Amino acid sequence: MSEIPYKKPEEGKIQTWVFGIILIGLFLLVCRLFAPFMSILLWSILLFIIVEPLHKRIARKITVKTHSGRFLRRLLAAFFALGTALVILVPLGFVISQIYVQL
């Protein structure tokens, strides 16, 4: 009489499932860690999507090979950084001034 050999579960398959569960758990913990910052991240992504095509269009016209071209690129980056800061700070200043008037 021939015996049916016992096949133990593949260790690789179990290991894959365990690592998958650990990975999903760590991903959920990271999501919970970043949850307070989600609105800020979404607004910054939206601002990037709006401003980036204009920046690329202007930067494409500036040649980088010359010294003045490199300076203009840096000036353009500074201009966009200041413009982005103003887009955030001006409405914030308005809201703060209105709160101050109400108090």
Side-chain angles (χ1 to χ4, degrees):
M1 184 158 104
S2 70
E3 294 182 31
I4 301 174
Y6 173 72
K7 291 185 177 181
K8 60 181 181 175
E10 296 178 23
E11 291 178 15
K13 201 171 200 176
I14 293 173
Q15 188 176 19
T16 302
W17 277 100
V18 170
F19 283 141
I21 291 170
I22 291 172
L23 180 68
I24 290 171
L26 289 175
F27 177 74
L28 292 175
L29 287 174
V30 169
C31 287
R32 186 175 173 115
L33 178 72
F34 283 115
F37 308 106
M38 281 302 163
S39 65
I40 296 169
L41 289 171
L42 291 175
W43 277 108
S44 64
I45 290 169
L46 181 67
L47 194 59
F48 172 76
I49 289 171
I50 292 171
V51 173
E52 193 254 346
L54 178 64
H55 180 268
K56 272 191 173 182
R57 187 179 311 147
I58 295 171
R60 199 178 310 129
K61 294 179 182 179
I62 300 172
T63 59
V64 186
K65 295 178 182 177
T66 63
H67 182 67
S68 63
R70 287 191 297 261
F71 176 74
L72 284 175
R73 280 273 176 116
R74 290 181 183 146
L75 191 63
L76 179 67
F79 173 73
F80 271 90
L82 288 174
T84 303
L86 285 175
V87 164
I88 295 169
L89 293 177
V90 168
L92 183 64
F94 177 73
V95 169
I96 289 173
S97 69
Q98 291 300 315
I99 291 172
Y100 181 73
V101 169
Q102 292 293 322
L103 295 177

